[in-house]
């Protein structure tokens, strides 16, 4: 099936998408000459093109079940062959391919060409002398795709999803990944701050640490920008701008 799809994509790239409808028999001959699929499958594709099922109604390929039923009804093919042909043509007429044929950016190309404006909100507690202290951190930042190869490698499993994941969905995916990472870093920070605070409360600070020389930890001490830069470096992005602040107590 993949060889058939690839061959059809080569034909469209060389001749244009209208060639499929203008010269359906030539398409059939190319498929059979290249031996990328059995003749009954090539013949099924020919019948779909001759009946102009996809002409001016390419969205029909987005629903495999409905597309299969239409092919079976209009072309008189068995359900098995109709479904096979439907899967081939649905892949050929994917949203990503249609965007490319219309001269538009693909979803991933659009995603890689734009800055991402994202937010993160961290929330948690630490305990000082058995008293809970609520800690929050708000951040708004802009990041930019930098290492395309690294980004595509990290997103490879998500980009195999059908239908193709959208640009907005990719942005949400990245925001979720960053949020999970910063949540873990913030949890580690709160744990360290709680240990530091309790060590201070348990010590004889009058001798070792006079009160005027001690500054209790606060969520504002969380170095969010540093952690964000670390995540970006590991995932192919760069930080463009950053604003963030944490609660003082």
């Amino acid at each position: 099936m993949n060889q058939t799809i690839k061959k059809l994509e080569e034909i469209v790239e060389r001749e244009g998408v209208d060639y499929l409808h203008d010269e359906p028999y030539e398409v059939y001959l190319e498929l059979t000459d290249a031996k990328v699929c059995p003749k009954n499958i090539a013949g099924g594709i020919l019948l779909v093109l001759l009946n102009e099922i996809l002409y001016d109604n390419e969205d029909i390929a987005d629903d495999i079940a409905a597309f299969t039923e239409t092919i079976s009804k209009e072309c008189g093919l068995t359900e098995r062959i109709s479904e096979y042909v439907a899967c081939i043509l649905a892949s050929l007429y994917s949203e990503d391919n249609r965007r490319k044929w219309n001269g538009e950016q693909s979803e991933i190309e659009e995603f890689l060409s734009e800055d991402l404006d994202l937010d993160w909100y961290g929330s948690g507690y630490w305990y000082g002398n058995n008293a809970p202290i609520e800690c929050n951190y708000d951040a708004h930042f802009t990041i930019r795709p930098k290492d395309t190869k690294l980004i595509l490698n990290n997103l490879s499993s998500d980009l195999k999803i059908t239908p193709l994941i959208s640009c907005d969905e990719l942005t949400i995916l990245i925001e979720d990944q960053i949020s999970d990472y910063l949540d873990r870093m913030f949890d580690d920070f709160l744990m360290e701050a709680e240990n530091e605070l309790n060590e201070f409360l348990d010590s004889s600070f009058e001798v070792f640490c006079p009160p005027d020389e001690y500054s209790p930890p606060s969520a504002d001490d969380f170095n969010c920008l540093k952690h964000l830069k670390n995540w970006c470096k590991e995932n192919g992005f760069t930080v463009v701008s950053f604003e963030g602040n944490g609660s003082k107590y």
Side-chain angles (χ1 to χ4, degrees), residues 9 18 22 33 35 47 62 68 73 75 81 121 135 163 212 220 224 231 241:
E9 288 176 337
D18 287 340
D22 296 340
D33 289 346
K35 297 181 180 180
L47 287 173
D62 294 337
T68 298
K73 179 180 178 181
C75 301
I81 293 180
Y121 178 75
C135 306
D212 60 353
D220 202 43
C224 185
W231 185 93
S241 65

Side-chain angles (χ1 to χ4, degrees), residues 86-199:
C87 290
I88 290 173
L89 293 176
S91 294
L92 177 66
Y93 281 83
S94 67
E95 181 181 352
D96 197 37
N97 275 347
R98 295 200 302 262
R99 288 168 64 102
K100 182 169 62 176
W101 298 339
N102 291 328
E104 302 173 14
Q105 286 183 314
S106 69
E107 294 286 354
I108 187 61
E109 288 173 333
E110 182 180 346
F111 173 76
L112 292 171
S113 67
E114 296 181 347
D115 291 350
L116 281 64
D117 293 316
L118 308 175
D119 296 290
W120 173 71
Y121 178 75
S123 180
Y125 293 86
W126 62 44
Y127 291 82
N129 199 23
N130 296 320
I133 302 172
E134 184 177 3
C135 306
N136 304 304
Y137 197 101
D138 275 303
H140 176 76
F141 45 88
T142 300
I143 62 174
R144 179 175 297 158
K146 181 179 180 181
D147 187 334
T148 298
K149 184 177 180 180
L150 179 57
I151 294 171
L152 292 176
N153 182 63
N154 290 345
L155 293 174
S156 59
S157 60
D158 299 288
L159 295 175
K160 294 176 182 177
I161 297 173
T162 304
L164 186 68
I165 189 169
S166 70
C167 184
D168 288 342
E169 289 170 329
L170 285 168
T171 300
I172 292 172
L173 177 65
I174 293 300
E175 185 169 36
D176 288 344
Q177 290 181 1
I178 293 176
S179 293
D180 288 343
Y181 177 79
L182 292 179
D183 284 345
R184 294 197 302 272
M185 297 300 101
F186 194 53
D187 287 342
D188 290 345
F189 167 78
L190 294 179
M191 186 177 297
E192 292 177 6
E194 179 178 322
N195 292 336
E196 178 186 333
L197 183 59
N198 284 313
E199 285 178 8

